[in-house]
Amino acid sequence: MIPYGKQEITQQDIDAVVDVLKSDFLTQGPQVPAFEEALRAHTGATYSLAVNSATSALHIACLALGLGKGDKLWTTPVTFVASANCGLYCGADVDFVDIDPQTYNMSIDALEEKLIHAKSINALPKVVVPVHLCGQACDMKAIYALSKEYGFKIIEDASHAIGGRYLDKPIGNCEYSDITVFSFHPVKIVTTAEGGAVMTNSQDLADKMALYRSHGITRDQAQMQNESHGGWYYEQIDLGYNYRMTELQAALGVAQMTRLNDFVSARHKLATRYNQLLSTLPVILPYQLEGTYSGLHLYVIRLQLDKITKTHKEVFDALRELGIGVNLHYIPVHTQPYYQSMGFKVGDFPESERYYQEAISLPMFHVMTEEQQDTVIRVLSNVLES
Ligand SMILES: Cc1ncc(COP(=O)(O)O)c(C=O)c1O
């Protein structure tokens, strides 16, 4: 089976992890700060905190922005459930903004329309989470302008997007957001096995997220309420979690970050080839929004169902049966039973639901060979034409 995504682990990565195993620190040593420094150097953001998943990263980002009971978080339905669940963890209400039919990212028109209505009923969101689906940035300048007009905070869910650029600057620099989140799950662009990070330019938010990452505990006298009792002393000043990344994961991340640009260029070569070789098939190819350079975590096509005889499911199943490990990103979150039990219904976000009926993620990973890609294209052509 040719998978839809796959990590690359080199001898450099293995040596880096083995070195940590032989060292004094398996956790809370020098590798986590080194990984955070690599993320800062790449993105240009002032602060970076590595955590054990993007899910944890989203949670502490919401907490740092003060999201709580009675507040509202909005995100896109076409995302992994974690982009929405983080709001629920904080006791907030979650709602969705339908997608743009071309980029599949949050629609700016739909966002503006929903904001106008929310203002009229005094129900504006506290936090909006735009998701850079497949690695392509949302129209962040437009979302930022709306945030100033309507007074919400922005968490960029860039789980798919490290190595991508927006208006010629690295995604993660937080120029148009309060916080950006990355994921380092193995199918993503850079991996630490499990792992995530938050980036921000605000010292206040960074300090808060550092507390939430580690039990709400501080060793910084300036943050303490009492005089230190001695060298062992720490204070818990808030309720936090254990969301720390290990040294093993961070060492892998440091090694992987040295190859990030190569990873993304390899993905672009594959995407360009897909774009050329699939151009005559009855599928809609990914659209590139002006001013964006995608990290290309995913390569999603949409079937033109009126031009083929098979159904979406038949095409998907045939590809899997023939060894092509296609996938579907994502089942719209509002249609999940858990969200339906909160009152969301099929029909609430029609563009997202239409996308779901047509989308297929083709294999895309930076160590994919041209032979593997040719196999994907040949099998897809046969399936669509038979
Ligand atoms: C858009 C998006 N957000 C958040 C996450 C959660 O990432 P993690 O698995 O690192 O918790 C994922 C993971 O697939 C994702 O795709």
Side-chain angles (χ1 to χ4, degrees):
M1 180 81 83
I2 301 173
Y4 86 86
K6 187 180 171 199
Q7 73 278 13
E8 178 203 41
I9 298 295
T10 63
Q11 194 58 46
Q12 177 199 10
D13 297 327
I14 294 167
D15 291 346
V17 175
V18 170
D19 284 349
V20 171
L21 284 170
K22 292 177 181 167
S23 77
D24 291 337
F25 297 100
L26 299 185
T27 185
Q28 294 175 283
Q31 292 298 326
V32 168
F35 183 45
E36 292 170 344
E37 178 50 37
L39 295 172
R40 267 195 301 274
H42 168 72
T43 58
T46 317
Y47 302 97
S48 157
L49 290 155
V51 288
N52 58 4
S53 70
T55 303
S56 314
L58 285 162
H59 187 191
I60 61 172
C62 288
L63 289 171
L65 290 171
L67 191 75
K69 207 169 160 45
D71 293 329
K72 298 182 193 324
L73 176 145
W74 292 1
T75 188
T76 162
V78 178
T79 185
F80 186 56
V81 291
S83 317
N85 288 346
C86 56
L88 302 181
Y89 296 158
C90 299
D93 297 322
V94 168
D95 202 353
F96 301 93
V97 178
D98 211 350
I99 60 166
D100 177 283
Q102 272 189 304
T103 63
Y104 318 144
N105 279 332
M106 181 182 281
S107 156
I108 304 302
D109 289 346
L111 175 61
E112 185 162 19
E113 203 176 300
K114 199 172 172 100
L115 286 165
I116 292 168
H117 175 67
K119 190 173 177 186
S120 73
I121 57 168
N122 202 17
L124 283 167
K126 183 160 191 167
V127 172
V128 173
V129 182
V131 178
H132 303 324
L133 191 75
C134 305
Q136 170 165 247
C138 298
D139 185 350
M140 289 310 301
K141 240 178 143 166
I143 296 173
Y144 183 75
L146 289 170
S147 79
K148 293 295 153 209
E149 194 176 339
Y150 291 93
F152 58 84
K153 303 288 183 189
I154 303 173
I155 302 171
E156 287 174 76
D157 185 343
S159 290
H160 298 184
I162 195 164
R165 297 176 76 80
Y166 174 68
L167 301 182
D168 217 21
K169 293 191 186 146
I171 292 176
N173 72 355
C174 299
E175 187 169 342
Y176 299 108
S177 64
D178 297 279
I179 298 169
T180 301
V181 166
F182 291 130
S183 172
F184 307 116
H185 181 277
V187 294
K188 302 295 187 326
I189 295 163
V190 160
T191 191
T192 60
E194 295 280 358
V198 282
M199 314 298 301
T200 183
N201 293 324
S202 154
Q203 183 175 358
D204 178 50
L205 292 176
D207 288 347
K208 285 183 175 149
M209 290 191 287
L211 279 178
Y212 291 126
R213 170 174 66 172
S214 198
H215 307 283
I217 282 173
T218 184
R219 291 176 189 277
D220 175 2
Q221 182 65 58
Q223 291 186 311
M224 289 185 193
Q225 297 190 3
N226 305 309
E227 270 306 304
S228 169
H229 301 175
W232 66 87
Y233 191 69
Y234 59 83
E235 280 185 0
Q236 184 189 344
I237 58 171
D238 208 330
L239 182 62
Y241 302 83
N242 181 353
Y243 284 168
R244 294 187 304 261
M245 178 178 272
T246 68
E247 288 287 283
L248 300 161
Q249 291 167 295
L252 179 56
V254 171
Q256 293 251 318
M257 282 299 288
T258 63
R259 309 199 298 282
L260 172 59
N261 292 339
D262 297 340
F263 292 169
V264 177
S265 320
R267 286 169 181 272
H268 272 266
K269 255 194 207 147
L270 290 163
T272 305
R273 237 176 138 251
Y274 266 145
N275 290 343
Q276 284 162 359
L277 298 171
L278 300 176
S279 63
T280 56
L281 296 187
V283 296
I284 298 170
L285 300 176
Y287 171 83
Q288 176 90 39
L289 182 71
E290 207 184 317
T292 65
Y293 173 77
S294 176
L296 275 170
H297 161 49
L298 299 172
Y299 187 91
V300 172
I301 57 166
R302 281 176 77 162
L303 304 181
Q304 294 180 300
L305 291 168
D306 52 341
K307 298 193 179 156
I308 59 176
T309 52
K310 291 196 172 71
T311 65
H312 178 239
K313 184 173 182 305
E314 282 166 350
V315 172
F316 188 97
D317 289 347
L319 290 168
R320 281 260 179 107
E321 266 163 38
L322 293 165
I324 310 300
V326 286
N327 214 326
L328 208 174
H329 300 90
Y330 289 94
I331 306 162
V333 179
H334 71 282
T335 67
Q336 293 289 353
Y338 191 76
Y339 281 84
Q340 301 253 299
S341 72
M342 294 185 307
F344 292 102
K345 298 181 305 299
V346 172
D348 283 350
F349 302 99
E351 280 302 338
S352 302
E353 292 166 30
R354 206 165 300 133
Y355 164 91
Y356 176 57
Q357 283 156 13
E358 299 170 358
I360 294 182
S361 303
L362 296 183
M364 165 58 78
F365 47 95
H366 45 266
V367 285
M368 183 172 172
T369 63
E370 285 196 358
E371 291 70 38
Q372 285 176 311
Q373 191 177 29
D374 288 341
T375 304
V376 174
I377 293 162
R378 182 172 39 76
V379 173
L380 177 65
S381 310
N382 290 343
V383 167
L384 291 176
E385 276 154 21
S386 63

